């Protein structure tokens, strides 16, 4: 896979989206979209066709694995990286 120039971050926690955005920018990713839930992720993917999607597993309403299945059905060539954190 060539180095992505754009990405979609899907996480329900704003501070995590900000952190991942900063890391992606440092890696040279020029354009970054974000989504706070699964429905928004599906909309953003359809609108922008990102080079890569960073997807949280723990999402409200539609869980990350269900979002992953829908993304792969609609956009099978877009790589999806599962990114998740658990606070204790």
């Amino acid at each position: 896979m060539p180095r992505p120039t754009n990405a979609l971050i899907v996480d329900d926690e704003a501070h995590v989206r900000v952190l991942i955005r900063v890391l992606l920018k440092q890696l040279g990713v020029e354009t970054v979209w974000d989504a706070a839930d699964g429905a928004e992720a599906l909309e953003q993917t359809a609108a922008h066709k990102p080079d890569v999607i960073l997807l949280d597993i723990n999402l409200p309403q539609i869980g990350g694995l269900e979002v992953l299945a829908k993304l792969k059905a609609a956009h099978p060539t877009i790589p999806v990286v599962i990114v998740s954190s658990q606070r204790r």
Side-chain angles (χ1 to χ4, degrees):
M1 177 178 117
R3 182 176 286 239
T5 60
N6 61 65
L8 172 64
I9 303 165
V10 184
D11 199 295
D12 57 324
E13 296 191 44
H15 70 278
V16 173
R17 292 193 308 269
V18 169
L19 174 64
I20 295 173
R21 178 183 294 271
V22 169
L23 293 172
L24 289 173
K25 292 286 186 176
Q26 289 177 349
L27 292 171
V29 177
E30 298 166 5
T31 305
V32 180
W33 303 281
D34 61 52
D37 59 49
E40 189 177 0
L42 297 171
E43 291 170 10
Q44 292 281 5
T45 301
H48 301 293
K49 306 286 191 292
D51 292 340
V52 65
I53 299 170
L54 292 101
L55 175 65
D56 184 16
I57 287 291
N58 299 313
L59 293 172
Q61 291 136 6
I62 306 173
L65 293 178
E66 185 177 347
V67 173
L68 176 63
K70 290 180 181 203
L71 286 170
K72 294 319 279 177
H75 309 280
T77 61
I78 298 176
V80 179
V81 177
I82 300 297
V83 179
S84 193
S85 63
Q86 185 75 30
R87 287 187 283 174
R88 294 179 187 231

